[in-house]
Amino acid sequence: MLGPSYNHTMESPTTFFLVGIPGLQSSYLGLAISLSSMYILALLGNTLIITVICMDSTLQEPMYFFLCVLAAVDIVMASSVVPKMVSIFSSGDGSISFNACFTQMYFVHAATAVETGLLLAMAFDRYVAICKPLHYVRILTPHVMLGISVTVTTRAVIFMTPLSWMLSHLPFCGSNVVPHSYCEHMAVAKLTCADPMPTSLYSLIFSSIIVGSDVAFISASYTFILRAVFSLSSKNAQRKALSTCGSHVGVMVLYYLPGMASIYVAWLGQDKVPLHTQVLLADLYLIIPPTLNPVIYGIRTKQIRERIWGLLMHCFFSPFTGGS
């Protein structure tokens, strides 16, 4: 099925061929339908979140600002991979140019690095709001929020730029068939003729540092938050604080568990975990959080839930009431 154009070459290929999920070819149609549905939900949900927060002047607190940026990053992350995945699973078109492959790799890994930084920023926001409520406005000013966002983005760029440069300048004189659904770094690195260990180690070490430090600070923030919440005398205030934090914790679990599992399975479990399981885990890691984040925040955050409901009512029913 791969044809002659996907055989071995003696120079860097102009085109890679993405296999999809090796061993699950019989399930491709179902996967295409599922991914398309999740992608549509992700686009609609995150666009609704951004629209509601930007339009409503009462949703201008730092928490909503970071949530708006998170929704935008989720759209970028899902859009970087899902359209090509659906093309592979529905029509078998797995070809992707050399430059497009590395562009996709850059955006995917940079978006994941930005997302973990945003989750840390949101944990810090909740820490200040609950543990230092009297200083909340003074600490989280618009300039500080912008500075945090720029720092998180800069960190992702600093991490990804050397990685992409190192890998793209290695010689590719072997197969151009990537046993993956997108241009995942480890899968592409294995196709080089030179030793890919330096780039692979760079990726593992820096991703571990970024995620490890973020998770450590997030854990510390929520330790202080829980201590402050349970010291409140009002049970209603406790429930409200825990409900707000619960949505953040749910999003973090959705992001970090499959993400870290995907990274370390690719490194440590190559011979123990089937390849289709590794690829499927990496795929779900990029599409499940963007799909479910708006659902979690929409359901658990009262203000957003009410604004979204009001916006939908206005869009669908105001033309009928206006004409009567």
Side-chain angles (χ1 to χ4, degrees):
M1 291 295 291
L2 297 182
S5 61
Y6 306 121
N7 291 328
H8 290 60
T9 56
M10 295 308 293
E11 57 185 15
S12 294
T14 57
T15 303
F16 287 109
F17 183 80
L18 297 168
V19 172
I21 304 178
L24 290 185
Q25 283 83 353
S26 60
S27 304
Y28 274 10
L29 181 59
L31 286 169
I33 295 171
S34 299
L35 283 174
S36 298
S37 302
M38 294 171 74
Y39 183 54
I40 291 169
L41 284 175
L43 288 181
L44 290 176
N46 286 294
T47 301
L48 265 177
I49 293 284
I50 294 171
T51 302
V52 164
I53 292 175
C54 291
M55 288 178 60
D56 197 320
S57 59
T58 64
L59 298 178
Q60 301 306 310
E61 296 177 18
M63 179 180 78
Y64 300 114
F65 170 79
F66 291 129
L67 180 55
C68 187
V69 178
L70 180 68
V73 172
D74 279 342
I75 290 174
V76 171
M77 188 160 68
S79 298
S80 298
V81 294
V82 177
K84 188 60 186 178
M85 285 182 187
V86 172
S87 175
I88 295 169
F89 297 145
S90 60
S91 65
D93 179 18
S95 61
I96 183 170
S97 71
F98 185 90
N99 290 333
C101 182
F102 280 92
T103 301
Q104 183 191 60
M105 183 190 301
Y106 188 93
F107 275 100
V108 166
H109 293 298
T112 56
V114 170
E115 182 141 342
T116 181
L118 287 172
L119 293 178
L120 173 59
M122 295 169 79
F124 177 67
D125 166 77
R126 289 301 85 200
Y127 164 75
V128 177
I130 294 172
C131 299
K132 299 182 182 296
L134 298 180
H135 304 286
Y136 184 71
V137 176
R138 184 173 59 83
I139 293 175
L140 284 168
T141 63
H143 283 95
V144 170
M145 292 188 296
L146 181 61
I148 290 174
S149 300
V150 171
T151 301
V152 165
T153 304
T154 303
R155 183 183 70 168
V157 171
I158 290 173
F159 162 61
M160 268 310 299
T161 301
L163 181 64
S164 297
W165 187 88
M166 284 191 294
L167 185 55
S168 65
H169 282 74
L170 290 177
F172 288 86
C173 56
S175 172
N176 61 348
V177 179
V178 183
H180 216 290
S181 307
Y182 64 93
C183 289
E184 193 268 339
H185 166 260
M186 294 283 287
V188 175
K190 290 175 183 177
L191 302 182
T192 63
C193 303
D195 182 11
M197 186 57 69
T199 66
S200 299
L201 275 177
Y202 177 94
S203 174
L204 181 68
I205 291 170
F206 274 83
S207 59
S208 297
I209 290 173
I210 289 174
V211 174
S213 60
D214 287 354
V215 169
F217 284 118
I218 288 170
S219 301
S221 296
Y222 277 97
T223 300
F224 289 118
I225 288 170
L226 290 174
R227 189 180 300 171
V229 167
F230 288 116
S231 67
L232 296 172
S233 57
S234 169
K235 295 293 182 183
N236 186 49
Q238 286 185 1
R239 280 195 299 270
K240 184 177 179 181
L242 287 173
S243 176
T244 304
C245 293
S247 58
H248 292 275
V249 172
V251 167
M252 290 171 193
V253 169
L254 273 175
Y255 178 76
Y256 285 118
L257 282 185
M260 295 311 296
S262 174
I263 292 171
Y264 288 106
V265 162
W267 255 89
L268 306 174
Q270 295 183 45
D271 301 325
K272 299 177 183 178
V273 180
L275 181 58
H276 68 266
T277 302
Q278 297 179 38
V279 175
L280 191 59
L281 186 62
D283 291 350
L284 294 177
Y285 159 58
L286 294 179
I287 186 60
I288 287 181
T291 304
L292 294 185
N293 284 356
V295 177
I296 292 173
Y297 282 112
I299 291 174
R300 295 190 62 88
T301 308
K302 181 182 177 182
Q303 294 92 330
I304 292 180
R305 184 172 66 244
E306 290 177 347
R307 301 308 188 280
I308 288 177
W309 183 251
L311 179 63
L312 292 176
M313 290 298 101
H314 176 76
C315 291
F316 288 109
F317 293 106
S318 62
F320 300 102
T321 57
S324 57

